Amino acid sequence: MAASILNVRDLHFYLFELFDAQALTARPRYAEHSKETYLAAIETGRKIAQRYFLPIRQKVDVQQPTFDGKQVHMLPEIKPAIDAVIQSGLACPEADYEWGGMQLPAIVASVATSFLSAAGSTTLGYTSLTNANCNLIEAHGTPEQIAKWVVPMRQGRFAGTMAMTEPSAGSGLADLATSATRTEEGRYLITGNKIFISGGDHNLSENIVHLVLARIKGAPKGIKGVSLFIVPKYLVDETGAVGSRNDVSLAGLFHKMGGRGQTSCAINFGEQGGSIGYLVGEENQGIRYMFHMMNEARIMVGTSAALTALSGYQYSLDYAKERRQGRLPSSRDPLSAPVRIIEHADVRRMLLAQKAYAEGAYSLCLFGAQLADDVRTAPDEAERRSAKVLLDFLTPIIKSWPSEYGPRANSLAIQVLGGHGYTNEHPVEMFYRDNRLNSIHEGTYGVQSLDLLARKVPADNMAGYTNCISRMRDDIETATQHPALQEPAAALLAAIQVLEETTGAVLGGMQKLHIDLALANSVKYLELFGNVVVAWMWLKQGIAASAGLARDPHADDRNFYLGKLQALKYFYAYELPEIQVWKQILCDFEDAFYMAREEWF
Amino acid sequence: MAASILNVRDLHFYLFELFDAQALTARPRYAEHSKETYLAAIETGRKIAQRYFLPIRQKVDVQQPTFDGKQVHMLPEIKPAIDAVIQSGLACPEADYEWGGMQLPAIVASVATSFLSAAGSTTLGYTSLTNANCNLIEAHGTPEQIAKWVVPMRQGRFAGTMAMTEPSAGSGLADLATSATRTEEGRYLITGNKIFISGGDHNLSENIVHLVLARIKGAPKGIKGVSLFIVPKYLVDETGAVGSRNDVSLAGLFHKMGGRGQTSCAINFGEQGGSIGYLVGEENQGIRYMFHMMNEARIMVGTSAALTALSGYQYSLDYAKERRQGRLPSSRDPLSAPVRIIEHADVRRMLLAQKAYAEGAYSLCLFGAQLADDVRTAPDEAERRSAKVLLDFLTPIIKSWPSEYGPRANSLAIQVLGGHGYTNEHPVEMFYRDNRLNSIHEGTYGVQSLDLLARKVPADNMAGYTNCISRMRDDIETATQHPALQEPAAALLAAIQVLEETTGAVLGGMQKLHIDLALANSVKYLELFGNVVVAWMWLKQGIAASAGLARDPHADDRNFYLGKLQALKYFYAYELPEIQVWKQILCDFEDAFYMAREEWF
């Protein structure tokens, strides 16, 4: 079967019709860009994915990295794949030209790397984490730190990680036990154990730069006493030359269900007395700095989940168009030839649901990227601030919705292929395994739901919430100008009403009820808000598709737009109505599990 | 962490409180049984699971069977595990004493093998498929065939399979191409390729007895021309001695995402001119006979899905009681010790949902087993007929609901363990992979939904449907006598109303609309009916738990019953209300995917 990774037409739709990425070239930072340079970057990503990533997709999964007690052994083909990404500039597509980046807007960078992520999300993980590490040090480090660590990382000679989780403190950053002791030279000696460090060790680069959260001796307890350190695998002298090993050692690799292209490491810092670390920014501000990287990582997680969903959708679609099996219920003739399975309504259900989930999720991630671009380069200060408020607000949804619906899409892709989808003849079972991590790492689903409800909604006089609702109303206004969008526009308006009533009730409960009870259904709130936001993204796509249809396009484009409208119809008929059920649960402060006592289980 | 596989108290609840399995000992077939013999059988299963299955659980998954082109190599520890099952009688617990069985009722047999299934569902697969194969030949074969094939299978010397699927006809049995030619000796020469044959080859037995669907030359097209054949791997002479190889060869093994204890094989029949096969029953009746085994296999699939869900629930529950992490939202003191994660409301959500899914699913499977017992041994003819009607009707739901909600439960088990759950430090990721097959094999989710809506509901003047609704109403009547069950009883009554209205609308549509459109949302109908049936099972459990509480039990039992009532409460508050959304879709004949044209994707 011909292996198509993603639908290029669809990617162009997001960039040039749904979001006006071309308009960004009017901003000074992107002045040298044009539609042509965007397309060239996307084509570069596609070619590298096709040439380096796709051929090793299965091997990366089957031949997991191993650790012989001394060093990590990886599939040799991973390095050339990563090197190709680095040489193309796609390892840091948003970075300044002077760092070897492409200085692309975030939204274009996302699309330019989409083929790589879809064909090998965890192989791409090495460069994208390194990129996020650089961004943090650029924002909060000293010029010396930037010169020493960021420059070689941008060049692809060094790689970067973030090291937060500890064996006895998973999501609980307040309980981090890794310690840092200040030395006379103004450096720190770091001692502690970290786990689940993605890309924490490998043989792909000259050095690995860990960003490590640790507590300086005597610092306050809790998250207010946590600082951030640069802790390299190898020490580097003033000339930038890589020298002796730091006291950083790999304790072991985790064997994961999926995402096997990227090592997940347990690392011991300071077993020989203390690994040398360099403080980033000020003492006790580590959590704040780390969230610079973390927020970026959360959007990366959502994006990866969405692209893995898109990849499975595309694969199962290609399969369904070729594979022949069975007959329609209306067929009375056992002598007739079996139909292609896309002719079965239930197979189209599984395809259209995947389309609605995957394209809904990815459009949301790109909306987030567009906001990130506005935060950085919108000409108007108020516009920049508004974008920041909304992006902060939406981050838990951008992280969570694709991570929840992405695996559902991948499960449907398996189902389309039937028994074949359950075997490694096809990649869909790998997508399903890969995608399952996304609702865990960088803050679990539950953690995101508390972030949304307890922090982001009330924050700053509900500024993010209000901003979000108000933008939705603007788009509803636009949608009502298209005859084909009257129904979904009205439905989204009604959904906003549901959201408003629910939010009012829950915030009221947070005042009146025990806070643990008031927050107990936070996951349902995240689900409700998520479905409304994705319905909004579908309405946005409906507007763009309607505009496209109004231009009387050629047949292929016409079909493409009709497909968008059909996925919108599906989402509004089958998915959006669920919010009524969740509203009831939330407004009633349903307490079935809250009241469930441990001894009852 | 101590590895508890299943909760014994819960299993006893099903057998002795929810369903009165002890009453079955009044029937002649089970006259030699008593509560003590039941408990002994269960304890035997538990011990074998603990001693043979649990220690190799991970190895079975990691060290998949391999095929060197000549023979299959399997983890050596699998054979002693299976031998222990055979020697205990648990390979065929329902079979007659004279065959080496335990002559147990089906419901007790299910519980007696539950630990084995929960600790190694695919290892147990070898004996349970062999058992189902024997049951088919006993029902439809000749005395000679029984003597020649069933006896050695019952003795554990031979193993059995069913070989239906072909590369170009997955769910489409009408398109089977394997052919059979009658020889002068009255035997048949079979030629064709079969795939996904579970246990199709291995080194665990002296011989393998395939039940093969094939088309006799000149037979009618479609399913009316399919016959069933016994095709052994090795030929057997009149004395029962195993002789030369039949023309049956292993073409290869599939590498599956899960369920790796059991080989999944591609087998070529008749590459050297024709494998010798023996007709079962009459010509062209193969599909009917195969459904004898298939219906049993469908219930086995549901049961395995339910037990894998229970196993993950138990594991994550044990973990949540020990693991400490984070603090409650109400805690303002960062110096306080982290709580055990079961203290977090959201973790209790994930545990209670698992409990509701897994125990709801398993109680449904055991209800099916009880019906099977009544079909076989109820003293009254009308009772036997009524049980048969209801069991036939419920089979697609017993197969599907656990297969759909079991993986959801297993996903929640992973989530409770967080990042750790995604690694092979713990078995929950394996459960998740293992369970994913269950909505595919023995008839996919879509196939089951069409079976329910297009066949089972209208069949025989809606006899199964009516029987089901009427039994639900009886239990609602009983439930209203318990003060604690007023609410769920009323809710189930309302749910029946939803079901009735929906069924009326859909059946009406099947008359008036194009049949392909009328059936397009069949999966939603299956979901709706499934949730109502499982709500019913929870009401049944609520009745038994209320009765238990009324006996003023000791503290442990009291907590156990309160846990049942809490899971009931959860299911009615969080899961049952979804049927309103699905009703709307069904009654509106929502056509989003039905109308979606291929070229729009």
Side-chain angles (χ1 to χ4, degrees):
Chain A
M1 202 173 97
S4 53
I5 306 173
L6 295 172
N7 177 352
V8 178
R9 176 66 186 88
D10 192 42
L11 299 174
H12 291 179
F13 172 76
Y14 301 127
L15 279 190
F16 305 117
E17 300 179 68
L18 181 61
F19 306 112
D20 187 2
Q22 225 179 322
L24 297 171
T25 59
R27 299 183 186 174
R29 182 172 173 82
Y30 312 120
E32 290 180 36
H33 278 295
S34 62
K35 183 166 182 177
E36 285 63 41
T37 64
Y38 291 173
L39 294 178
I42 296 167
E43 182 58 12
T44 299
R46 195 192 64 76
K47 277 190 178 148
I48 295 173
Q50 204 79 39
R51 175 156 173 203
Y52 293 95
F53 281 56
L54 207 55
I56 63 169
R57 180 162 65 181
Q58 188 180 53
K59 266 193 178 173
V60 162
D61 181 55
V62 175
Q63 298 177 34
Q64 293 187 65
T66 56
F67 177 46
D68 63 11
K70 287 187 176 166
Q71 53 180 348
V72 175
H73 301 276
M74 305 183 61
L75 185 72
E77 293 96 322
I78 290 182
K79 185 157 169 54
I82 291 176
D83 286 347
V85 175
I86 291 168
Q87 279 151 30
S88 73
L90 287 174
C92 48
E94 296 169 63
D96 297 358
Y97 294 128
E98 61 167 314
W99 299 126
M102 291 177 154
Q103 212 161 307
L104 281 169
I107 189 169
V108 183
S110 178
V111 174
T113 53
S114 64
F115 282 98
L116 300 167
S117 181
S121 63
T122 51
T123 301
L124 188 67
Y126 292 102
T127 59
S128 48
L129 262 180
T130 301
N131 186 36
N133 177 307
C134 289
N135 293 344
L136 186 153
I137 299 178
E138 282 178 8
H140 302 290
T142 64
E144 291 73 27
Q145 287 173 338
I146 294 172
K148 197 165 182 180
W149 308 113
V150 174
V151 170
M153 281 197 277
R154 289 292 189 213
Q155 291 167 344
R157 290 170 38 225
F158 292 6
T161 79
M162 60 180 189
M164 295 196 300
T165 309
E166 298 180 4
S168 58
S171 304
L173 293 177
D175 297 311
L176 292 181
T178 296
S179 72
T181 313
R182 197 167 203 279
T183 68
E184 288 174 4
E185 300 90 356
R187 302 183 307 197
Y188 292 79
L189 292 176
I190 312 291
T191 307
N193 308 313
K194 298 283 184 179
I195 56 172
F196 300 146
I197 312 306
S198 295
D201 208 352
H202 52 70
N203 55 13
L204 301 169
S205 59
E206 295 171 35
N207 201 355
I208 300 175
V209 181
H210 303 289
L211 283 168
V212 180
L213 287 178
R215 199 179 292 283
I216 296 172
K217 292 261 164 86
K221 294 255 180 181
I223 60 166
K224 289 178 184 160
V226 175
S227 302
L228 183 65
F229 300 89
I230 293 168
V231 185
K233 178 176 175 183
Y234 291 97
L235 299 173
V236 170
D237 70 18
E238 298 76 44
T239 69
V242 175
S244 58
R245 273 298 287 262
N246 197 359
D247 184 3
V248 172
S249 63
L250 178 64
L253 298 178
F254 291 95
H255 291 284
K256 294 171 292 176
M257 176 166 69
R260 293 175 162 179
Q262 196 169 25
T263 52
S264 179
C265 306
I267 295 183
N268 297 337
F269 292 94
E271 274 186 324
Q272 319 286 329
S275 49
I276 292 168
Y278 311 96
L279 181 69
V280 175
E282 295 174 22
E283 292 187 353
N284 301 334
Q285 298 294 316
I287 296 290
R288 185 164 66 84
Y289 303 148
M290 192 54 113
F291 264 87
H292 187 106
M293 185 166 179
M294 180 73 116
N295 281 325
E296 196 173 332
R298 286 179 173 175
I299 301 207
M300 273 163 48
V301 166
T303 304
S304 173
L307 287 166
T308 304
L310 274 175
S311 199
Y313 163 57
Q314 195 57 48
Y315 195 93
S316 62
L317 175 61
D318 291 347
Y319 184 90
K321 286 179 174 177
E322 288 189 5
R323 168 82 175 172
R324 288 189 173 273
Q325 201 179 297
R327 283 158 201 82
L328 302 190
S330 58
S331 164
R332 308 250 165 220
D333 178 11
L335 301 182
S336 64
V339 299
R340 287 167 313 114
I341 62 171
I342 197 170
E343 299 179 52
H344 294 294
D346 196 54
V347 171
R348 288 202 303 284
R349 169 183 67 85
M350 297 189 277
L351 294 171
L352 197 59
Q354 284 184 74
K355 182 178 168 77
Y357 298 161
E359 296 179 1
Y362 192 48
S363 64
L364 173 61
C365 297
L366 291 178
F367 181 63
Q370 189 191 39
L371 291 172
D373 286 326
D374 285 345
V375 172
R376 193 173 190 178
T377 58
D380 181 53
E381 160 67 17
E383 209 181 330
R384 291 197 294 276
R385 207 168 41 225
S386 165
K388 169 114 179 56
V389 163
L390 184 58
L391 180 58
D392 283 352
F393 181 79
L394 286 178
T395 295
I397 296 173
I398 297 173
K399 196 275 179 185
S400 302
W401 202 91
S403 301
E404 184 67 16
Y405 283 79
R408 289 193 205 185
N410 290 139
S411 180
L412 291 171
I414 291 176
Q415 198 71 17
V416 169
L417 273 73
H420 296 279
Y422 192 68
T423 72
N424 71 1
E425 288 174 77
H426 300 281
V428 289
E429 60 89 20
M430 185 188 75
F431 297 151
Y432 180 68
R433 289 184 285 110
D434 286 356
N435 221 343
R436 182 62 188 81
L437 182 60
N438 289 318
S439 63
I440 299 173
H441 63 167
E442 317 308 346
T444 63
Y445 203 59
V447 165
Q448 301 299 326
S449 74
L450 285 174
D451 181 42
L452 178 66
L453 180 54
R455 202 172 300 136
K456 297 291 170 65
V457 169
D460 206 5
N461 245 329
M462 301 187 72
Y465 175 89
T466 312
N467 185 318
C468 182
I469 301 278
S470 141
R471 293 198 195 210
M472 283 196 244
R473 289 191 192 278
D474 291 347
D475 283 327
I476 290 170
E477 187 69 31
T478 309
T480 51
Q481 291 153 29
H482 295 277
L485 300 176
Q486 299 299 321
E487 260 191 66
L492 186 58
L493 202 62
I496 291 176
Q497 186 64 27
V498 169
L499 183 55
E500 294 267 48
E501 287 168 18
T502 309
T503 305
V506 174
L507 292 179
M510 284 163 66
Q511 303 300 320
K512 283 178 299 206
L513 303 171
H514 192 295
I515 189 70
D516 296 342
L517 168 60
L519 295 174
N521 286 311
S522 58
V523 154
K524 288 288 157 191
Y525 187 79
L526 175 61
E527 287 176 4
L528 194 161
F529 215 130
N531 265 21
V532 175
V533 165
V534 174
W536 173 29
M537 292 302 124
W538 271 112
L539 191 69
K540 275 179 174 292
Q541 295 193 60
I543 295 169
S546 299
L549 283 171
R551 290 192 297 271
D552 195 18
H554 61 76
D556 281 356
D557 263 4
R558 194 179 146 73
N559 284 328
F560 174 82
Y561 295 130
L562 291 172
K564 285 288 180 191
L565 292 177
Q566 202 68 11
L568 160 71
K569 191 165 186 294
Y570 168 84
F571 196 86
Y572 276 73
Y574 289 79
E575 306 290 338
L576 185 58
E578 302 266 1
I579 65 172
Q580 292 288 356
V581 176
W582 304 332
K583 176 195 172 185
Q584 203 60 45
I585 289 168
L586 283 156
C587 291
D588 292 352
F589 294 93
E590 274 295 349
D591 60 3
F593 53 79
Y594 178 74
M595 295 298 288
R597 293 205 210 145
E598 178 176 343
E599 56 271 27
W600 295 352
F601 283 98
Chain B
M1 204 172 97
S4 51
I5 306 173
L6 293 172
N7 178 352
V8 177
R9 176 65 186 89
D10 192 43
L11 300 174
H12 292 180
F13 172 77
Y14 301 127
L15 280 191
F16 304 117
E17 300 179 67
L18 183 61
F19 306 113
D20 188 3
Q22 226 178 321
L24 297 171
T25 59
R27 300 183 184 173
R29 182 172 171 80
Y30 311 119
E32 290 181 36
H33 278 294
S34 63
K35 182 165 183 181
E36 286 63 40
T37 64
Y38 289 174
L39 293 178
I42 296 167
E43 182 58 12
T44 299
R46 194 191 65 75
K47 278 189 178 148
I48 295 172
Q50 203 78 40
R51 175 156 172 203
Y52 293 95
F53 280 56
L54 206 56
I56 64 169
R57 179 162 65 182
Q58 188 179 53
K59 265 192 179 176
V60 163
D61 180 56
V62 175
Q63 298 177 34
Q64 293 187 66
T66 56
F67 176 48
D68 63 10
K70 288 189 176 164
Q71 56 179 348
V72 175
H73 301 275
M74 304 183 61
L75 185 70
E77 294 95 320
I78 290 182
K79 184 155 170 58
I82 290 175
D83 286 346
V85 175
I86 291 168
Q87 279 151 32
S88 74
L90 287 173
C92 49
E94 297 169 62
D96 297 358
Y97 293 127
E98 61 167 313
W99 299 125
M102 292 176 155
Q103 213 162 307
L104 282 169
I107 189 169
V108 183
S110 178
V111 174
T113 52
S114 64
F115 282 98
L116 299 167
S117 181
S121 62
T122 50
T123 300
L124 187 67
Y126 291 102
T127 58
S128 49
L129 262 180
T130 301
N131 186 38
N133 178 308
C134 289
N135 293 344
L136 187 152
I137 300 178
E138 282 178 9
H140 302 289
T142 63
E144 292 72 29
Q145 286 172 338
I146 293 172
K148 195 164 182 181
W149 307 112
V150 174
V151 171
M153 280 198 276
R154 290 291 188 212
Q155 291 167 344
R157 290 171 39 224
F158 292 7
T161 78
M162 59 183 192
M164 295 195 300
T165 308
E166 297 181 5
S168 59
S171 304
L173 293 177
D175 297 311
L176 292 180
T178 296
S179 72
T181 314
R182 200 166 201 279
T183 68
E184 287 174 4
E185 300 89 357
R187 302 182 307 194
Y188 292 80
L189 291 176
I190 312 291
T191 308
N193 307 313
K194 298 282 182 178
I195 56 171
F196 301 147
I197 312 306
S198 295
D201 207 353
H202 52 69
N203 54 12
L204 301 168
S205 58
E206 294 171 37
N207 202 354
I208 300 175
V209 180
H210 303 289
L211 284 169
V212 180
L213 287 178
R215 200 179 292 283
I216 296 172
K217 292 261 164 88
K221 294 256 181 184
I223 60 167
K224 289 177 185 161
V226 175
S227 303
L228 183 65
F229 299 89
I230 294 168
V231 186
K233 178 176 173 183
Y234 292 96
L235 299 172
V236 169
D237 70 17
E238 298 76 42
T239 70
V242 175
S244 60
R245 273 295 288 260
N246 197 358
D247 183 6
V248 172
S249 63
L250 179 64
L253 298 178
F254 291 95
H255 291 283
K256 295 172 289 174
M257 177 165 70
R260 293 176 164 179
Q262 196 170 22
T263 51
S264 179
C265 305
I267 295 184
N268 297 339
F269 292 93
E271 275 186 324
Q272 318 287 329
S275 48
I276 292 168
Y278 310 95
L279 181 68
V280 176
E282 294 172 25
E283 292 187 355
N284 301 334
Q285 297 295 316
I287 297 289
R288 186 164 67 83
Y289 303 148
M290 192 54 114
F291 264 87
H292 187 106
M293 184 166 182
M294 181 73 116
N295 281 325
E296 195 173 332
R298 285 180 174 176
I299 301 208
M300 274 163 47
V301 167
T303 304
S304 172
L307 287 166
T308 304
L310 273 175
S311 199
Y313 163 56
Q314 195 58 47
Y315 195 94
S316 63
L317 174 61
D318 291 348
Y319 185 89
K321 286 180 173 175
E322 287 188 3
R323 169 81 175 172
R324 288 188 172 273
Q325 202 179 295
R327 284 160 199 80
L328 302 189
S330 58
S331 163
R332 306 252 166 218
D333 179 10
L335 301 182
S336 63
V339 300
R340 286 168 312 117
I341 62 171
I342 197 171
E343 299 179 50
H344 294 295
D346 196 54
V347 171
R348 288 202 302 285
R349 168 182 68 85
M350 296 189 278
L351 293 172
L352 197 59
Q354 283 184 75
K355 183 178 167 75
Y357 298 161
E359 296 179 2
Y362 191 48
S363 63
L364 174 61
C365 297
L366 290 177
F367 181 63
Q370 190 192 38
L371 291 172
D373 286 326
D374 285 345
V375 172
R376 192 173 192 179
T377 58
D380 181 53
E381 160 68 16
E383 208 182 330
R384 290 197 295 275
R385 208 170 39 226
S386 164
K388 170 114 179 58
V389 164
L390 185 58
L391 180 59
D392 284 352
F393 181 78
L394 286 178
T395 295
I397 295 173
I398 297 173
K399 198 275 179 183
S400 303
W401 202 91
S403 301
E404 184 68 16
Y405 283 78
R408 288 194 205 184
N410 290 139
S411 180
L412 290 171
I414 292 176
Q415 197 72 16
V416 168
L417 274 72
H420 297 279
Y422 192 67
T423 72
N424 71 0
E425 289 174 76
H426 300 280
V428 289
E429 60 89 22
M430 185 188 74
F431 296 151
Y432 181 68
R433 288 184 285 111
D434 285 356
N435 220 343
R436 182 62 187 82
L437 181 59
N438 288 317
S439 62
I440 299 173
H441 63 167
E442 315 310 344
T444 63
Y445 202 60
V447 165
Q448 300 300 326
S449 75
L450 285 174
D451 181 43
L452 178 67
L453 180 53
R455 202 170 301 136
K456 297 292 169 66
V457 168
D460 206 7
N461 244 330
M462 300 187 74
Y465 176 89
T466 311
N467 185 319
C468 182
I469 301 277
S470 141
R471 293 199 194 209
M472 283 197 243
R473 289 190 192 278
D474 291 347
D475 283 327
I476 290 171
E477 186 70 29
T478 308
T480 52
Q481 291 152 29
H482 295 276
L485 300 177
Q486 299 299 322
E487 260 190 66
L492 186 59
L493 203 63
I496 291 175
Q497 186 63 26
V498 169
L499 183 55
E500 294 267 49
E501 287 167 18
T502 308
T503 304
V506 174
L507 292 180
M510 285 162 66
Q511 303 300 322
K512 285 178 298 204
L513 303 173
H514 191 293
I515 189 68
D516 296 341
L517 168 60
L519 294 174
N521 285 311
S522 58
V523 153
K524 289 286 157 193
Y525 187 78
L526 176 61
E527 286 175 4
L528 195 162
F529 216 128
N531 265 19
V532 175
V533 164
V534 174
W536 173 30
M537 292 301 124
W538 271 112
L539 192 69
K540 277 180 173 291
Q541 295 194 59
I543 294 169
S546 298
L549 282 170
R551 290 192 299 270
D552 194 18
H554 62 75
D556 281 357
D557 263 4
R558 194 179 146 73
N559 284 327
F560 175 80
Y561 295 130
L562 290 172
K564 285 288 180 192
L565 292 178
Q566 203 68 11
L568 160 72
K569 191 165 187 293
Y570 168 84
F571 196 85
Y572 277 74
Y574 289 80
E575 305 291 338
L576 185 58
E578 303 266 1
I579 65 171
Q580 292 287 356
V581 176
W582 303 333
K583 176 195 172 185
Q584 203 59 45
I585 290 168
L586 284 155
C587 291
D588 292 352
F589 293 93
E590 273 294 348
D591 60 2
F593 55 78
Y594 179 75
M595 296 298 288
R597 294 206 209 145
E598 177 176 344
E599 57 271 27
W600 295 353
F601 284 97

